[in-house]
């Protein structure tokens, strides 16, 4: 045992010494770094996402030999959801010519947005980051499909108001949010709507340091008795909030979250969490051919850290969805440029020409996995519809038809935010050519 | 044998009081400055400059700032992160309000804003000491952090609630923002850090520094020999917060490129305090040692397994790094409870009489 360890160590060191010479990536591979966090207070959310992202790309390598015959080099970098470490990751992957980056943190995304155009590395911040970056004419290098936090809020309020936000007139709406950029972003829209429609808004901010200590907020919530409680949480905040809600006997039918709570977050609260609802845009469960391939070719062969029962959970499938977008962007880039080993600039064009319809999802082995997604040069988000899913004590059940965003109300806010950002930062005018026909 | 002062005669009082009395030391400092200003920018890659050197310099500077307060005057502060934040937000407000003014001017000016805030929160230091003062500065930390996230005026009502660093130029070269090359940013940071370290070193070796040290060693005795405690302590807060504020502005403008309020949380305060404690209380050079241990060592440890080809997952590497860093800190502190600076001083002393110790 000892000997074999020593041998592998020596072998490893020898290999490592030999590597730098050959480390310059061969032309026939595509480098995809994944910024992940399996450590720290956000690991509960970060781990299943990291697993899903990694496993789908590893499955493409194992099953199809990569994308378009080109192997993917998948490389994880641990950020711990910390902006400084995220920047360290970015600097460490930059020399290896990544085709895109997935920051998985609003803080890291904000730091990287100005760099993207200069370094020619597109950013895929899937349904997080800066909402305004949905506007491709202002942010050619940033992509945040399939919906922004403002879209999400309008969808939540529409569903709670019985089809339109006007249904909330005269009600009291509580907003329990992670007190950072992510949770604060929807507040201007919330306040505008409260004034326009006439519901009263109560804010319950939860600071990062107090994620697991929310009892004072829940005392306020019990006192205010909101008719609807909207939650934008992340990491340890989600399971804590759901547990507190159960403890406070807050009715689950008045509690609805944005798309981030995972199965484990809800399950931790026990039976009382039955009926908890959240938005989602993709299916849960592992009943898809592509996920079966992952189980067979990646998890079954020990190439992954994923525990078996994690496949099919909300955030695992979210990671898979993120990697589907990466893979599609690379495939589209190959189709547009005719090159095999695409670069960041090519993949930016690919991301701008995504067209995932039902037929395409079926071809990927993910039939009915998610609604259609289409990006253009102007629209880097697609503002897709989402649906409400409900926890039945063991699994998620779809509880509504697809709900589209209230475009009329969200659009002006988005335009204003993008114009604001561009004006404040002396933002360069888009010079990238558009491939849309 | 090589490091000794035999034959170097001091003929003036100035030579006797010099910070580097031995010729070899002066040569060593010149060599370090030459490496820092010429060799590193000429040969350092973007990763080395961006991720290692720039943060190292900025954290060292913050360490120097805190050391003036905690190491030289014995006023324990847990609000360093927030004071760095004050510098950063002040610099952002000034730069966006008057973009035509040179960014370096605003970086230095923001130090004065931070100094004013530092003095305000330093007022209780006249009546309370030690842990009680630490709690008062902790209040500063929480209050200022609350301001950063609750006052949208501080970030010009940005939707992101974060500082967005604009492109600023100096003599036609980009200094901040994405277009600034790592070399430019490194040189700007180095110049400011070197200048402030030089000033700090002169302050602590002069009348003011001696005043602070007298207060540190026994404040009643200091008062009896005619030192005004209020002035001495508030001056320590002001100078310390000035340097810390400049470090904060540098951190956002030259390193992070954007900053949420969380960037200035209590973890940052502790990180700087650890830099000071590990490096050595009451030592300027100690701040650089401390930053090496707290910032450069973890990066080196993280880079090690992939370099030797060990197939360890990224997360495990990170956890191992945290554990090893923690163990090393304990080992350093057992080996020399007065910090690395003391170790350095002992080593120099030994070297002076080597090979014939008496």
């Amino acid at each position: 045992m000892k000997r074999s360890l020593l041998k592998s160590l020596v072998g490893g060191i020898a290999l490592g010494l030999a590597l730098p010479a050959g480390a310059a990536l061969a032309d026939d591979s595509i480098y995809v770094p994944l910024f992940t966090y399996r450590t720290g207070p956000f690991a509960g959310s970060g781990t299943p996402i990291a697993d899903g992202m990694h496993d789908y790309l590893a499955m493409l390598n194992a099953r199809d030999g990569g994308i378009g015959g080109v192997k993917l080099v998948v490389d994880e970098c641990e950020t711990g959801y910390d902006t400084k470490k995220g920047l360290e990751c970015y600097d460490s992957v930059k020399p290896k010519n990544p085709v895109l980056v997935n920051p998985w943190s609003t803080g890291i995304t904000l730091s990287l947005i100005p760099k993207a155009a200069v370094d020619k590395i597109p950013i895929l911040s899937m349904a997080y980051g800066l909402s305004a970056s949905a506007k491709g004419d202002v942010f050619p290098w940033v992509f945040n499909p399939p919906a922004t936090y403002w879209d999400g809020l309008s969808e939540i309020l529409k569903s709670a108001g019985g089809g339109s936000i006007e249904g909330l007139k005269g009600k009291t709406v509580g907003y329990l949010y992670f007190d950072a950029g992510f949770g604060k972003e929807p507040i201007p829209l919330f306040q505008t709507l409260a004034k326009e429609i006439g519901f009263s808004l109560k804010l319950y901010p939860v600071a990062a340091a107090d994620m697991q200590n929310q009892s004072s907020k829940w005392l306020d919530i019990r006192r205010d008795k909101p008719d609807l409680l909207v939650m934008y949480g992340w990491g340890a905040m989600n399971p804590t909030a759901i547990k507190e809600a159960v403890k406070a006997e807050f009715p689950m039918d008045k509690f609805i979250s944005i798309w981030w709570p995972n199965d484990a977050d809800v399950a931790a609260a026990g039976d009382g969490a039955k009926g908890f609802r959240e938005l989602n845009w993709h299916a849960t469960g592992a009943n898809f051919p592509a996920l079966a391939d992952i189980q067979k070719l990646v998890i079954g062969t020990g190439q992954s850290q994923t525990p078996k029962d994690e496949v099919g959970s909300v955030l695992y499938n979210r990671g898979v969805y993120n990697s589907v977008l990466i893979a599609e962007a690379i495939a589209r880039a190959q189709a547009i440029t005719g090159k095999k080993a695409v670069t960041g600039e090519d993949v930016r064009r690919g991301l701008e020409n995504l067209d995932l319809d039902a037929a395409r999802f079926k071809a990927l082995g993910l039939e009915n996995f998610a609604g259609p997604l289409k990006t253009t040069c102007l629209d880097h988000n697609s503002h897709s519809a989402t649906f409400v899913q409900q926890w039945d004590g063991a699994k998620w059940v779809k509880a509504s038809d697809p709900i589209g965003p209230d475009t009329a109300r969200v659009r002006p806010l988005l335009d204003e935010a993008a114009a604001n950002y561009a004006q404040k930062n002396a933002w360069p005018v888009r010079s990238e050519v558009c491939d849309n026909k | 044998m090589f490091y000794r002062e035999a034959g170097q005669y001091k003929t003036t009082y100035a030579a006797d009081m010099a910070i580097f009395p031995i010729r070899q030391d002066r040569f060593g400092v010149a060599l370090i400055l030459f490496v820092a200003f010429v060799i590193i920018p000429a040969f350092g890659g973007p990763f080395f400059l961006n991720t290692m050197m720039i943060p190292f310099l900025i954290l060292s500077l913050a360490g120097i700032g805190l050391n003036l307060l905690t190491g030289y005057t014995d006023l324990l502060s847990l609000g360093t992160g927030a004071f760095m934040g004050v510098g950063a937000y002040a610099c952002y407000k000034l730069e966006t309000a008057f973009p035509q003014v040179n960014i370096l001017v605003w970086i230095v000016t923001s130090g004065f804003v931070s100094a004013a805030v530092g003095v305000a929160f330093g007022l209780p230091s006249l009546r309370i000491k030690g842990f009680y003062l630490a709690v008062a500065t902790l209040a500063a930390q929480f209050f200022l952090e609350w301001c950063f996230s609750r006052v949208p005026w501080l970030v010009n009502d940005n939707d992101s609630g974060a500082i967005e660093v604009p492109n600023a130029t100096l003599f036609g070269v980009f200094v901040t923002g994405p277009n600034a090359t790592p070399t430019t940013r490194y040189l700007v940071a180095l110049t400011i850090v070197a200048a402030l370290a030089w000033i700090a070193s002169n302050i602590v070796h002069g009348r003011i520094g001696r005043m602070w040290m007298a207060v540190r060693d026994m404040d009643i005795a200091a008062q009896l020999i005619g030192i005004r405690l209020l002035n001495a302590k508030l001056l320590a807060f002001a100078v310390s917060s000035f340097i810390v504020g400049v470090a904060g502005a540098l951190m956002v403008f030259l390193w992070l490129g954007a900053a949420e309020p969380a960037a200035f949380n209590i973890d940052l305060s502790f990180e700087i305090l650890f830099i000071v404690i590990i490096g050595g209380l009451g030592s300027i050079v100690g701040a650089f040692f401390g930053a090496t241990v707290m910032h450069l060592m973890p990066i080196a440890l993280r880079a090690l397994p992939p370099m030797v080809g060990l197939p360890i997952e990224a997360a495990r590497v990170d956890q191992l790094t945290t554990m090893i860093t923690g163990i090393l800190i304990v080992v350093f502190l057992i080996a020399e409870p007065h910090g690395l600076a003391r170790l350095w001083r002992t080593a120099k002393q030994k070297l002076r009489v080597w090979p014939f110790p008496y």
Side-chain angles (χ1 to χ4, degrees):
Chain A
M1 178 62 205
K2 224 177 203 170
R3 215 162 156 197
S4 71
L5 187 74
L6 195 71
K7 245 186 184 167
S8 67
L9 250 170
V10 171
I13 292 169
L15 197 80
L17 292 178
L19 253 179
L25 292 171
D27 287 338
D28 52 355
S29 67
I30 296 173
Y31 181 64
V32 185
L34 302 176
F35 291 6
T36 56
Y37 35 103
R38 298 169 183 276
T39 63
F42 301 91
S45 298
T47 308
I49 290 175
D51 287 337
M53 288 200 294
H54 169 271
D55 289 356
Y56 184 78
L57 295 176
M59 186 272 287
L60 290 183
N61 268 342
R63 189 187 65 186
D64 313 334
I67 300 172
V70 189
K71 263 249 183 296
L72 303 173
V73 179
V74 182
D75 192 8
E76 274 191 32
C77 189
E78 173 73 24
T79 68
Y81 199 72
D82 176 12
T83 305
K84 287 167 195 161
K85 270 200 210 156
L87 288 178
E88 184 186 326
C89 281
Y90 183 77
D91 281 326
S92 72
V93 303
K94 204 167 76 174
K96 302 181 198 163
N97 299 319
V99 293
L100 49 69
V101 289
N102 310 267
W104 277 107
S105 139
T106 300
I108 302 174
T109 311
L110 291 175
S111 278
L112 294 186
I113 284 173
K115 294 180 190 240
V118 179
D119 297 336
K120 309 278 179 224
I121 303 170
I123 297 170
L124 175 61
S125 55
M126 191 182 73
Y128 57 89
L130 193 69
S131 287
S133 61
K135 287 186 62 78
D137 48 340
V138 184
F139 297 93
W141 290 87
V142 191
F143 298 83
N144 59 356
T148 68
Y149 286 134
W150 287 331
D151 294 333
L153 180 65
S154 71
E155 285 157 10
I156 287 176
L157 296 182
K158 260 168 91 171
S159 107
S164 86
I165 304 177
E166 275 79 8
L168 290 171
K169 192 175 164 66
K171 299 243 168 91
T172 307
V173 181
Y175 179 46
L176 181 71
Y177 63 100
F178 182 55
D179 197 7
F182 142 63
K184 281 195 283 192
E185 208 176 23
I187 293 177
L189 175 65
F190 230 140
Q191 284 168 335
T192 319
L193 290 175
K195 211 179 280 169
E196 187 188 320
I197 292 170
F199 59 83
S200 72
L201 175 65
K202 302 263 188 218
L203 298 180
Y204 309 106
V206 177
D210 294 334
M211 284 196 306
Q212 282 161 301
N213 177 25
Q214 302 175 17
S215 20
S216 64
K217 301 292 164 203
W218 283 90
L219 277 179
D220 292 349
I221 292 169
R222 277 168 81 167
R223 182 196 61 209
D224 296 339
K225 291 196 183 66
D227 301 303
L228 172 72
L229 183 65
V230 181
M231 174 165 79
Y232 274 49
W234 188 228
M237 176 178 161
N238 284 331
T240 313
I242 298 167
K243 267 186 226 157
E244 288 282 351
V246 173
K247 221 163 75 186
E249 293 180 344
F250 190 83
M252 282 294 157
D253 57 337
K254 290 181 178 171
F255 192 18
I256 181 164
S257 168
I258 195 79
W259 39 67
W260 295 120
N262 198 18
D263 302 34
D265 300 338
V266 191
D271 275 349
K274 255 186 217 171
F276 176 78
R277 291 170 306 150
E278 70 176 15
L279 286 192
N280 198 352
W281 67 81
H282 57 71
T284 51
N287 204 5
F288 297 92
L291 295 186
D293 285 343
I294 288 180
Q295 277 168 326
K296 198 173 81 194
L297 298 170
V298 182
I299 302 176
T301 55
Q303 294 176 42
S304 161
Q305 314 175 42
T306 313
K308 267 208 166 74
D309 54 350
E310 194 180 87
V311 182
S313 68
V314 174
L315 291 186
Y316 183 88
N317 284 14
R318 182 96 14 105
V320 168
Y321 187 92
N322 191 93
S323 279
V324 167
L325 296 187
I326 297 175
E328 273 304 287
I330 293 173
R332 290 294 301 162
Q334 286 172 334
I336 293 170
T337 60
K339 283 196 280 186
K340 288 264 173 211
V342 286
T343 64
E345 281 168 285
D346 304 328
V347 170
R348 191 199 68 76
R349 294 165 68 185
L351 280 164
E352 223 162 48
N353 290 277
L354 291 178
D355 190 2
L356 280 154
D357 50 15
R360 184 62 191 153
F361 271 117
K362 191 174 176 188
L364 293 173
L366 292 165
E367 194 177 3
N368 294 329
F369 185 66
L373 172 92
K374 189 171 166 55
T375 54
T376 65
C377 297
L378 289 180
D379 179 10
H380 278 191
N381 184 282
S382 149
H383 303 285
S384 303
T386 62
F387 58 86
V388 177
Q389 61 183 14
Q390 193 162 27
W391 181 250
D392 74 352
K395 62 175 190 313
W396 295 99
V397 184
K398 216 170 176 171
S400 83
D401 291 328
I403 312 161
D406 191 335
T407 313
R409 289 196 167 99
V410 173
R411 191 82 213 169
L413 216 63
L414 200 66
D415 291 340
E416 194 197 322
N420 239 332
Y421 188 96
Q423 184 247 327
K424 277 181 188 158
N425 289 288
W427 206 239
V429 177
R430 175 177 170 133
S431 59
E432 284 77 8
V433 185
C434 181
D435 293 307
N436 297 153
K437 288 178 190 105
Chain B
M1 198 157 32
F2 305 105
Y3 184 78
R4 59 176 183 174
E5 49 196 305
Q8 297 178 27
Y9 301 109
K10 292 161 187 157
T11 49
T12 57
Y13 279 118
D16 196 34
M17 302 291 290
I19 294 172
F20 302 110
I22 307 175
R23 195 184 301 138
Q24 284 89 334
D25 273 354
R26 289 196 291 271
F27 180 74
V29 170
L31 187 73
I32 289 170
L33 286 179
F34 176 74
V35 169
F37 274 99
V38 181
I39 307 283
I40 288 177
F43 297 103
F47 178 78
F48 180 65
L49 292 178
N50 259 339
T51 307
M52 301 179 73
M53 288 321 287
I54 295 175
F56 163 73
L57 288 170
I58 292 167
L59 292 173
S60 302
L61 183 64
I64 291 174
L66 182 61
N67 219 334
L68 295 185
L69 193 65
T70 307
Y72 284 95
T73 325
D74 198 25
L75 300 169
L76 186 55
S77 166
L78 291 177
T80 321
F83 293 132
M84 286 177 84
V86 172
Y89 281 89
C91 192
Y92 176 65
K93 285 303 288 184
L94 289 166
E95 169 64 16
T96 46
F98 308 99
Q100 59 279 21
V101 179
N102 191 322
I103 179 76
L104 289 189
V105 174
W106 289 142
I107 287 178
V108 174
T109 314
S110 59
F112 288 105
V113 179
S114 177
V117 177
V119 168
F121 282 102
L123 279 174
S125 69
L126 192 68
R127 299 186 71 97
I128 50 179
K129 285 192 284 201
F131 291 119
Y132 297 91
L133 181 64
V135 172
T137 52
L138 198 61
Q141 169 74 37
F142 290 134
F143 172 72
L144 291 170
E145 226 186 300
W146 181 88
C147 290
F148 299 153
S149 60
R150 282 285 171 280
V151 183
W153 174 80
L154 285 173
V155 290
N156 291 342
D157 300 299
N158 284 340
D159 292 303
S160 53
I163 298 177
E164 294 157 354
V165 171
N167 286 304
T169 56
L170 183 68
F171 311 124
V173 182
F174 281 106
V175 174
T176 65
N179 292 311
T181 62
T183 317
T184 322
R185 285 185 286 125
Y186 167 75
L187 283 173
V188 172
L190 179 65
T191 311
I192 294 177
V193 172
L196 286 178
W198 178 71
I199 293 173
S201 157
N202 274 310
I203 290 178
V204 298
H205 285 94
R207 187 182 63 83
I208 298 173
R210 276 149 215 266
M211 189 168 82
W212 287 341
M213 284 183 261
V215 173
R216 171 187 67 187
D217 293 339
M218 195 175 182
D219 55 356
I220 296 179
Q223 204 170 13
L224 283 173
I225 58 171
I227 292 170
R228 290 187 191 183
L229 289 189
L230 180 69
N231 293 10
K233 287 183 174 177
L234 288 189
L235 189 64
F237 262 101
V239 177
S240 161
S241 305
F242 174 85
I243 294 180
V244 162
V246 171
L250 290 178
M251 179 172 106
V252 173
F253 278 73
L254 298 183
W255 172 17
L256 299 181
E260 293 187 293
F264 309 104
N265 62 11
I266 186 122
D267 294 352
L268 183 64
S269 298
F270 279 124
E271 192 179 353
I272 309 292
L273 188 64
F274 293 158
I275 286 176
V276 171
I277 292 173
I278 294 163
L281 286 164
S283 163
I284 300 287
V285 71
F288 292 95
F289 292 143
T292 309
V293 173
M294 290 299 292
H295 184 74
L296 296 183
M297 199 174 69
I299 294 179
L301 286 174
R302 265 197 289 279
L304 209 59
M307 213 187 275
V308 297
L310 286 181
I312 307 180
E313 300 103 24
R316 198 140 302 160
V317 171
D318 206 65
Q319 279 155 344
L320 282 174
T321 308
T322 314
M323 284 160 64
I324 295 173
T325 311
I327 292 170
L328 284 178
I329 290 173
V330 173
V331 169
F332 280 139
L333 288 181
I334 290 174
E336 181 51 76
H338 295 282
L340 295 174
R342 174 65 73 83
L343 216 55
W344 171 246
R345 232 171 278 157
T346 318
K348 278 208 302 190
Q349 204 56 43
K350 287 227 165 97
L351 211 59
R352 249 162 129 165
V353 293
W354 186 83
F356 302 116
Y358 40 81

